[in-house]
Coordinates of all heavy atoms in Angstrom, one line a residue:
M1 N -24.6 7.9 34.6 CA -23.8 6.8 34.0 C -23.0 7.2 32.9 O -23.4 7.8 31.9 CB -24.7 5.7 33.5 CG -24.1 4.4 33.1 SD -25.3 3.1 33.0 CE -24.9 2.3 31.7
S2 N -21.6 7.1 33.0 CA -20.7 7.4 32.0 C -20.4 6.3 31.0 O -20.1 5.3 31.5 CB -19.3 7.9 32.7 OG -18.4 8.3 31.7
I3 N -20.3 6.7 29.8 CA -20.0 5.7 28.6 C -18.7 6.0 28.1 O -18.5 6.9 27.3 CB -21.1 5.7 27.6 CG1 -22.5 5.4 28.1 CG2 -20.7 4.7 26.5 CD1 -23.6 5.4 27.2
L4 N -17.7 5.5 28.8 CA -16.3 5.7 28.2 C -15.6 4.4 27.9 O -15.9 3.4 28.7 CB -15.4 6.4 29.3 CG -15.8 7.9 29.7 CD1 -15.0 8.3 30.8 CD2 -15.6 8.8 28.4
A5 N -15.0 4.2 26.8 CA -14.3 3.1 26.4 C -12.8 3.1 26.9 O -12.1 4.2 26.6 CB -14.4 2.8 24.9
E6 N -12.4 2.1 27.5 CA -11.0 2.0 27.9 C -10.3 1.2 26.9 O -10.6 0.1 26.7 CB -11.0 1.6 29.4 CG -9.5 1.4 29.8 CD -9.5 1.0 31.3 OE1 -10.4 1.0 31.9 OE2 -8.3 0.5 31.7
V7 N -9.2 1.8 26.5 CA -8.3 1.1 25.5 C -7.0 0.5 26.2 O -6.3 1.5 26.8 CB -8.0 1.9 24.3 CG1 -7.1 1.1 23.3 CG2 -9.2 2.2 23.6
T8 N -6.7 -0.6 26.3 CA -5.6 -1.2 26.9 C -4.7 -1.9 25.9 O -5.3 -2.4 24.9 CB -5.9 -2.1 28.1 OG1 -6.6 -3.2 27.5 CG2 -6.6 -1.4 29.2
G9 N -3.5 -1.8 26.2 CA -2.6 -2.6 25.1 C -1.8 -1.7 24.3 O -1.7 -0.4 24.6
N10 N -1.3 -2.1 23.3 CA -0.5 -1.3 22.4 C -1.3 -0.6 21.3 O -2.0 -1.3 20.5 CB 0.6 -2.1 21.8 CG 1.6 -1.4 20.9 OD1 1.6 -0.2 20.9 ND2 2.6 -2.0 20.4
I11 N -1.4 0.7 21.4 CA -2.2 1.4 20.5 C -1.5 1.6 19.1 O -2.2 1.6 18.0 CB -2.4 2.8 20.9 CG1 -3.1 2.8 22.4 CG2 -3.3 3.7 19.9 CD1 -4.5 2.9 22.5
G12 N -0.2 1.2 19.1 CA 0.5 1.3 17.8 C 0.0 0.2 16.8 O 0.0 0.4 15.5
S13 N -0.4 -0.9 17.3 CA -0.9 -1.9 16.3 C -2.2 -1.5 15.7 O -2.4 -1.8 14.6 CB -1.1 -3.2 17.2 OG -2.0 -3.0 18.3
I14 N -3.0 -0.8 16.5 CA -4.2 -0.3 15.8 C -3.9 0.7 14.8 O -4.5 0.7 13.7 CB -5.2 0.4 16.9 CG1 -5.6 -0.7 17.9 CG2 -6.4 1.1 16.4 CD1 -6.4 -0.2 19.1
G15 N -3.0 1.7 15.0 CA -2.5 2.6 14.1 C -2.0 2.0 12.8 O -2.2 2.4 11.6
Y16 N -1.1 0.9 12.9 CA -0.6 0.2 11.9 C -1.7 -0.5 11.0 O -1.7 -0.4 9.8 CB 0.5 -0.7 12.1 CG 1.0 -1.5 10.9 CD1 1.7 -0.7 10.0 CD2 0.7 -2.8 10.7 CE1 2.2 -1.3 8.9 CE2 1.2 -3.4 9.5 CZ 1.9 -2.6 8.6 OH 2.4 -3.2 7.5
G17 N -2.6 -0.9 11.7 CA -3.8 -1.6 11.0 C -4.6 -0.7 10.2 O -5.0 -1.0 9.0
L18 N -4.7 0.5 10.6 CA -5.4 1.5 9.8 C -4.5 2.1 8.7 O -5.0 2.4 7.7 CB -5.9 2.7 10.8 CG -6.9 2.5 11.7 CD1 -7.1 3.7 12.6 CD2 -8.2 2.1 11.1
A19 N -3.2 2.0 9.0 CA -2.3 2.6 8.0 C -2.2 1.7 6.8 O -1.6 2.0 5.8 CB -0.9 2.8 8.7
T20 N -2.5 0.3 7.0 CA -2.4 -0.6 5.9 C -3.4 -0.4 4.8 O -3.3 -0.9 3.7 CB -2.5 -2.0 6.4 OG1 -3.7 -2.2 7.0 CG2 -1.3 -2.4 7.3
L21 N -4.4 0.4 5.1 CA -5.5 0.6 4.2 C -4.9 1.4 2.8 O -5.2 1.1 1.8 CB -6.6 1.4 4.7 CG -7.4 0.7 5.7 CD1 -8.4 1.7 6.4 CD2 -8.1 -0.5 5.1
G22 N -4.0 2.3 3.1 CA -3.5 3.2 2.1 C -2.6 2.4 1.1 O -2.9 2.4 -0.1
P23 N -1.6 1.6 1.5 CA -0.9 0.8 0.6 C -1.7 -0.3 -0.1 O -1.5 -0.6 -1.2 CB 0.2 0.0 1.4 CG 0.4 1.1 2.6 CD -1.0 1.6 2.9
G24 N -2.7 -0.8 0.6 CA -3.6 -1.9 0.0 C -4.3 -1.2 -1.2 O -4.5 -1.8 -2.3
I25 N -4.9 0.0 -0.9 CA -5.7 0.6 -1.9 C -4.6 1.0 -3.1 O -5.0 0.8 -4.3 CB -6.3 1.8 -1.5 CG1 -7.5 1.5 -0.5 CG2 -6.9 2.8 -2.6 CD1 -8.2 2.5 0.3
G26 N -3.5 1.4 -2.8 CA -2.5 1.9 -3.8 C -2.0 0.7 -4.7 O -2.0 0.9 -5.9
V27 N -1.8 -0.4 -4.1 CA -1.4 -1.6 -4.9 C -2.5 -2.0 -5.8 O -2.3 -2.3 -7.0 CB -1.0 -2.8 -4.0 CG1 -0.8 -4.1 -4.8 CG2 0.3 -2.4 -3.3
G28 N -3.8 -1.9 -5.3 CA -4.9 -2.3 -6.2 C -5.1 -1.3 -7.3 O -5.3 -1.8 -8.6
L29 N -4.9 -0.1 -7.1 CA -5.0 0.9 -8.3 C -3.8 0.8 -9.2 O -4.0 0.9 -10.4 CB -4.9 2.4 -7.7 CG -6.2 2.8 -6.9 CD1 -6.0 4.2 -6.2 CD2 -7.4 2.9 -7.9
I30 N -2.6 0.5 -8.7 CA -1.6 0.4 -9.6 C -1.7 -0.8 -10.5 O -1.6 -0.6 -11.8 CB -0.2 0.1 -8.8 CG1 0.2 1.5 -8.1 CG2 0.9 -0.3 -9.8 CD1 1.2 1.3 -7.1
F31 N -2.0 -2.0 -10.0 CA -2.1 -3.2 -10.9 C -3.5 -3.1 -11.7 O -3.4 -3.5 -12.8 CB -2.0 -4.5 -10.0 CG -0.6 -4.7 -9.7 CD1 -0.2 -4.6 -8.4 CD2 0.3 -5.2 -10.6 CE1 1.0 -4.8 -7.9 CE2 1.6 -5.4 -10.3 CZ 2.0 -5.3 -8.9
G32 N -4.5 -2.5 -11.2 CA -5.7 -2.4 -12.0 C -5.6 -1.5 -13.1 O -5.9 -1.9 -14.3
N33 N -5.0 -0.3 -12.9 CA -4.8 0.6 -14.0 C -3.7 0.1 -15.0 O -3.8 0.4 -16.2 CB -4.6 2.0 -13.5 CG -5.6 2.6 -12.9 OD1 -6.8 2.3 -13.2 ND2 -5.4 3.5 -11.9
G34 N -2.7 -0.6 -14.5 CA -1.6 -1.2 -15.3 C -2.2 -2.2 -16.2 O -1.8 -2.2 -17.4
L35 N -3.0 -3.1 -15.8 CA -3.5 -4.1 -16.7 C -4.5 -3.5 -17.7 O -4.6 -4.0 -18.8 CB -4.3 -5.1 -15.8 CG -3.4 -6.0 -15.0 CD1 -4.3 -7.0 -14.1 CD2 -2.4 -6.9 -15.8
Q36 N -5.3 -2.5 -17.2 CA -6.2 -1.8 -18.2 C -5.3 -1.1 -19.2 O -5.7 -1.2 -20.5 CB -7.0 -0.8 -17.4 CG -8.0 -0.1 -18.3 CD -8.9 0.8 -17.6 OE1 -8.5 1.4 -16.5 NE2 -10.1 1.1 -18.0
A37 N -4.2 -0.6 -18.9 CA -3.3 0.1 -19.9 C -2.7 -0.9 -20.9 O -2.6 -0.6 -22.1 CB -2.2 0.9 -19.3
I38 N -2.3 -2.1 -20.3 CA -1.9 -3.2 -21.2 C -2.9 -3.6 -22.2 O -2.5 -4.0 -23.3 CB -1.1 -4.3 -20.4 CG1 0.1 -3.8 -19.6 CG2 -0.8 -5.5 -21.1 CD1 0.6 -4.7 -18.6
A39 N -4.0 -3.8 -21.6 CA -5.0 -4.3 -22.5 C -5.4 -3.3 -23.7 O -5.8 -3.7 -24.8 CB -6.4 -4.5 -21.7
R40 N -5.2 -1.9 -23.4 CA -5.5 -1.0 -24.5 C -4.4 -0.8 -25.5 O -4.7 -0.6 -26.6 CB -5.8 0.4 -23.8 CG -7.1 0.6 -23.0 CD -7.2 1.8 -22.4 NE -8.4 1.9 -21.6 CZ -9.3 2.9 -21.6 NH1 -8.9 4.1 -22.3 NH2 -10.4 2.9 -20.9
Q41 N -3.1 -1.0 -24.9 CA -1.9 -0.9 -25.7 C -0.9 -2.0 -25.6 O 0.0 -1.8 -24.7 CB -1.4 0.5 -25.6 CG -2.1 1.6 -26.1 CD -1.4 3.0 -26.0 OE1 -0.5 3.0 -25.2 NE2 -1.7 4.0 -26.7
P42 N -1.2 -3.1 -26.1 CA -0.3 -4.4 -25.8 C 1.2 -4.1 -26.3 O 2.0 -4.7 -25.7 CB -0.9 -5.4 -26.5 CG -2.4 -5.0 -26.9 CD -2.3 -3.5 -26.9
E43 N 1.3 -3.3 -27.2 CA 2.7 -3.1 -27.7 C 3.6 -2.3 -26.6 O 4.9 -2.4 -26.8 CB 2.8 -2.3 -29.0 CG 2.3 -0.9 -29.0 CD 0.7 -0.8 -29.0 OE1 0.0 -1.7 -29.1 OE2 0.3 0.4 -29.0
T44 N 3.0 -1.7 -25.6 CA 3.8 -1.1 -24.6 C 3.9 -1.8 -23.3 O 4.2 -1.4 -22.2 CB 3.2 0.3 -24.3 OG1 1.9 0.1 -23.9 CG2 3.2 1.2 -25.5
Y45 N 3.8 -3.2 -23.5 CA 3.8 -4.1 -22.3 C 5.0 -3.9 -21.4 O 4.8 -3.8 -20.2 CB 3.7 -5.5 -22.8 CG 3.8 -6.6 -21.7 CD1 2.8 -6.8 -20.7 CD2 5.0 -7.2 -21.5 CE1 3.0 -7.6 -19.8 CE2 5.2 -8.1 -20.4 CZ 4.2 -8.4 -19.6 OH 4.3 -9.2 -18.7
G46 N 6.2 -3.9 -21.9 CA 7.4 -3.8 -21.2 C 7.5 -2.5 -20.3 O 7.8 -2.5 -19.2
L47 N 7.2 -1.3 -21.0 CA 7.2 -0.1 -20.3 C 6.2 0.0 -19.2 O 6.5 0.4 -18.0 CB 7.0 1.1 -21.3 CG 7.1 2.4 -20.6 CD1 8.5 2.8 -20.1 CD2 6.8 3.5 -21.7
I48 N 5.0 -0.4 -19.5 CA 3.9 -0.4 -18.5 C 4.3 -1.4 -17.3 O 4.1 -1.0 -16.1 CB 2.6 -0.7 -19.1 CG1 2.2 0.3 -20.1 CG2 1.4 -0.8 -18.0 CD1 1.0 0.0 -21.0
R49 N 4.7 -2.5 -17.6 CA 5.1 -3.5 -16.6 C 6.2 -3.0 -15.7 O 6.1 -3.1 -14.5 CB 5.5 -4.8 -17.3 CG 5.9 -5.9 -16.2 CD 6.2 -7.2 -17.0 NE 6.8 -8.1 -16.0 CZ 8.1 -8.4 -15.8 NH1 8.9 -7.6 -16.5 NH2 8.4 -9.1 -15.0
Q50 N 7.2 -2.4 -16.3 CA 8.3 -1.8 -15.5 C 7.8 -0.7 -14.5 O 8.1 -0.7 -13.4 CB 9.3 -1.1 -16.5 CG 10.5 -0.6 -15.8 CD 11.4 0.1 -16.8 OE1 11.2 0.1 -18.0 NE2 12.7 0.6 -16.3
N51 N 6.9 0.2 -15.0 CA 6.3 1.3 -14.2 C 5.5 0.7 -13.1 O 5.4 1.2 -12.0 CB 5.6 2.3 -15.0 CG 6.5 3.1 -15.8 OD1 7.7 3.3 -15.5 ND2 6.0 3.6 -16.9
M52 N 4.7 -0.4 -13.5 CA 3.9 -1.0 -12.4 C 4.7 -1.6 -11.3 O 4.4 -1.4 -10.1 CB 3.1 -2.1 -13.1 CG 1.8 -1.8 -13.7 SD 0.8 -3.1 -14.5 CE 1.4 -4.6 -13.6
L53 N 5.8 -2.2 -11.6 CA 6.6 -2.8 -10.6 C 7.3 -1.7 -9.8 O 7.5 -1.9 -8.5 CB 7.6 -3.8 -11.2 CG 7.0 -5.0 -11.8 CD1 8.0 -5.9 -12.5 CD2 6.2 -5.9 -10.7
L54 N 7.6 -0.6 -10.4 CA 8.3 0.5 -9.7 C 7.4 1.0 -8.7 O 7.8 1.3 -7.5 CB 8.9 1.5 -10.7 CG 9.6 2.6 -10.0 CD1 10.9 2.2 -9.3 CD2 10.0 3.7 -11.1
G55 N 6.2 1.3 -9.2 CA 5.1 1.8 -8.2 C 4.8 0.9 -7.1 O 4.7 1.3 -5.9
F56 N 4.8 -0.4 -7.4 CA 4.5 -1.4 -6.4 C 5.6 -1.4 -5.2 O 5.3 -1.4 -4.1 CB 4.4 -2.8 -7.1 CG 4.3 -3.9 -6.0 CD1 3.1 -4.1 -5.3 CD2 5.4 -4.7 -5.8 CE1 3.1 -5.1 -4.3 CE2 5.3 -5.8 -4.9 CZ 4.3 -5.9 -4.2
V57 N 6.8 -1.2 -5.7 CA 7.9 -1.3 -4.8 C 7.9 -0.1 -3.9 O 8.2 -0.2 -2.7 CB 9.3 -1.5 -5.5 CG1 10.5 -1.1 -4.7 CG2 9.5 -2.8 -6.2
L58 N 7.7 1.0 -4.4 CA 7.6 2.3 -3.6 C 6.4 2.3 -2.7 O 6.6 2.6 -1.6 CB 7.5 3.6 -4.6 CG 8.7 3.8 -5.4 CD1 8.4 4.9 -6.4 CD2 9.9 4.1 -4.6
V59 N 5.2 1.8 -3.1 CA 4.1 1.6 -2.2 C 4.4 0.7 -1.0 O 4.1 0.8 0.1 CB 2.9 1.3 -2.9 CG1 1.7 0.9 -1.9 CG2 2.4 2.4 -3.8
E60 N 5.0 -0.4 -1.4 CA 5.4 -1.4 -0.3 C 6.4 -0.9 0.6 O 6.5 -1.4 1.8 CB 5.7 -2.7 -1.0 CG 4.6 -3.6 -1.5 CD 3.5 -3.9 -0.4 OE1 3.9 -4.3 0.6 OE2 2.3 -3.7 -0.6
A61 N 7.3 -0.1 0.2 CA 8.4 0.4 1.0 C 7.8 1.4 2.0 O 8.1 1.4 3.2 CB 9.5 1.1 0.1
L62 N 6.8 2.1 1.6 CA 6.1 3.1 2.5 C 5.4 2.2 3.6 O 5.3 2.4 4.8 CB 5.2 3.9 1.8 CG 5.9 5.0 1.0 CD1 4.8 5.8 0.2 CD2 6.7 5.9 1.9
A63 N 4.8 1.0 3.2 CA 4.1 0.2 4.1 C 5.1 -0.4 5.2 O 4.7 -0.6 6.3 CB 3.4 -1.0 3.4
L64 N 6.3 -0.8 4.7 CA 7.2 -1.3 5.6 C 7.7 -0.3 6.5 O 8.1 -0.7 7.7 CB 8.4 -2.1 4.8 CG 8.0 -3.2 4.1 CD1 9.1 -3.8 3.3 CD2 7.5 -4.4 5.1
I65 N 7.9 0.9 6.1 CA 8.3 2.0 6.9 C 7.3 2.2 8.0 O 7.5 2.5 9.2 CB 8.6 3.3 6.2 CG1 9.8 3.1 5.3 CG2 8.7 4.5 7.1 CD1 10.1 4.3 4.4
G66 N 6.0 2.1 7.6 CA 4.9 2.2 8.6 C 4.9 1.2 9.5 O 4.5 1.2 10.8
L67 N 5.3 -0.1 9.2 CA 5.4 -1.1 10.1 C 6.5 -1.0 11.1 O 6.4 -1.4 12.3 CB 5.7 -2.5 9.4 CG 5.9 -3.7 10.1 CD1 4.7 -4.1 10.9 CD2 6.3 -4.8 9.2
V68 N 7.7 -0.5 10.7 CA 8.8 -0.4 11.6 C 8.7 0.9 12.5 O 9.2 0.8 13.6 CB 10.1 -0.4 10.7 CG1 11.3 0.0 11.6 CG2 10.2 -1.6 9.9
A69 N 8.1 2.0 12.0 CA 8.1 3.2 12.7 C 7.5 3.1 14.2 O 8.2 3.6 15.2 CB 7.3 4.2 11.9
P70 N 6.4 2.3 14.5 CA 5.9 2.2 15.9 C 7.0 1.6 16.8 O 7.0 1.9 17.9 CB 4.7 1.3 15.7 CG 4.3 1.6 14.4 CD 5.5 1.8 13.6
F71 N 7.8 0.6 16.2 CA 8.9 0.0 17.1 C 9.9 0.9 17.4 O 10.6 0.7 18.4 CB 9.3 -1.3 16.4 CG 8.2 -2.3 16.3 CD1 7.7 -2.8 14.9 CD2 7.6 -2.9 17.3 CE1 6.7 -3.7 14.8 CE2 6.6 -3.9 17.1 CZ 6.2 -4.3 15.9
I72 N 10.2 1.8 16.6 CA 11.4 2.7 16.7 C 11.0 3.8 17.7 O 11.8 4.2 18.7 CB 11.8 3.4 15.5 CG1 12.4 2.3 14.6 CG2 12.9 4.4 15.7 CD1 12.8 2.7 13.2
Y73 N 9.9 4.4 17.6 CA 9.4 5.5 18.5 C 8.7 5.1 19.6 O 7.7 4.8 19.8 CB 8.6 6.6 17.6 CG 9.5 7.1 16.4 CD1 9.3 6.7 15.1 CD2 10.7 7.9 16.8 CE1 10.0 7.2 14.2 CE2 11.5 8.3 15.7 CZ 11.1 8.0 14.4 OH 11.9 8.5 13.4

């Protein structure tokens, strides 16, 4: 008796589901460490907030590229 799993359908959706783990973890790390830095040095709020948002935008851009790539190729 052979135990083989047959996968039908679009495998790209499974790949994108796994690929969302990276940006999810990245966003959590960015905001978690950013809030911790603001709590330690409130006077640098503007600079830390600016860097947090820039990091968030870059991580989300990579997530959107990962969303679009399976449809292109």
Side-chain angles (χ1 to χ4, degrees):
M1 183 163 141
S2 176
I3 302 175
L4 293 175
E6 182 178 341
V7 178
T8 60
N10 189 1
I11 306 265
S13 60
I14 295 171
Y16 180 68
L18 293 174
T20 57
L21 293 174
I25 292 170
V27 168
L29 288 174
I30 288 169
F31 284 107
N33 290 331
L35 290 176
Q36 187 177 27
I38 290 171
R40 289 180 183 216
Q41 293 183 336
E43 65 274 4
T44 60
Y45 171 77
L47 180 64
I48 294 171
R49 181 177 171 266
Q50 179 181 5
N51 288 334
M52 275 180 20
L53 292 176
L54 180 63
F56 171 73
V57 167
L58 292 175
V59 167
E60 285 300 316
L62 290 175
L64 290 175
I65 289 171
L67 173 67
V68 173
F71 295 114
I72 293 175
Y73 299 110

